[in-house]
């Protein structure tokens, strides 16, 4: 299953390679590359967020093993998206990149999302989980939620007012996935909390073993 998923995640990259080989980027090659890598970053981000609900609905725990690969491919395409931006738009000039990040809000949101992705990708290994500890690792990787929100903001600000359908669709998907998690956390908190009006009964231990034929038999 992992091998199949790995091959599927490479298909957007192969599409880029095919377009480069056949000069099939359309009228604006830079826009094509940036849009393609950005869309697939968002697609893989949504797929990563889908794993926990799918596991809960289907009862298949092995699905969780696919989440790391999806997350790493999300970072991979985000890196291509970022490199295409700093390379094509600014020729890797740091001053121009910094001014653009500060000047344009949609660039600021996208850059913030990419920066937050960096520690998640860097700590995706089993060794990093052992080093951080399960709780701290989990807290760190909850940054995926603000990253998803920043991606929505980036997409909304990027497109024209006449082309808001796709940003709206992606934002609704993010809202649904985050809403499911909030409901799950709420249910878990209700289960963990004691029911009002109930009293925990202390457990009494007999100093001696009860004799057979007592009232408890």
């Amino acid at each position: 299953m992992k091998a199949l998923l790995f091959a599927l995640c490479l298909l957007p990259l192969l599409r880029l390679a095919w377009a480069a080989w056949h000069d099939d980027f359309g009228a604006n090659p830079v826009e094509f590359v940036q849009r393609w890598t950005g869309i697939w970053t968002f697609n893989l981000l949504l797929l990563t967020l889908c794993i926990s609900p799918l596991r809960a609905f289907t009862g298949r725990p092995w699905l969780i093993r696919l989440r790391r690969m999806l997350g790493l491919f999300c970072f991979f395409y985000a890196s291509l998206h970022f490199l295409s931006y700093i390379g094509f738009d600014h020729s890797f000039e740091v001053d121009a990149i910094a001014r653009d990040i500060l000047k344009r809000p949609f660039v600021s949101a996208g850059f913030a999302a990419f920066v937050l992705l960096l520690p998640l990708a860097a700590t995706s290994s089993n060794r990093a989980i052992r080093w951080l500890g399960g709780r701290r690792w989990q807290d760190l990787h909850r940054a995926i939620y603000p990253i998803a929100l920043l991606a929505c903001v980036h997409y909304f600000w990027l497109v024209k007012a006449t082309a808001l359908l796709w940003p709206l669709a992606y934002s609704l998907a993010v809202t649904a996935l985050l809403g499911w998690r909030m409901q799950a956390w709420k249910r878990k908190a209700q289960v963990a909390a004691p029911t009002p009006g109930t009293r925990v009964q202390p457990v009494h231990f007999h100093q001696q073993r009860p004799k057979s034929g007592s009232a408890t038999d």
Side-chain angles (χ1 to χ4, degrees), residues 26 31 44 63 66 94 100 120 140 156 167 171:
E31 182 184 349
L44 287 159
L63 284 170
L66 306 179
V94 176
D100 200 28
L120 274 61
L140 174 65
F156 261 110
S171 299

Side-chain angles (χ1 to χ4, degrees), residues 165-181:
L165 181 61
W166 281 110
L168 181 62
Y170 276 79
S171 299
L172 288 174
V174 168
T175 302
L177 290 167
L178 297 188
W180 179 87
R181 279 169 170 78

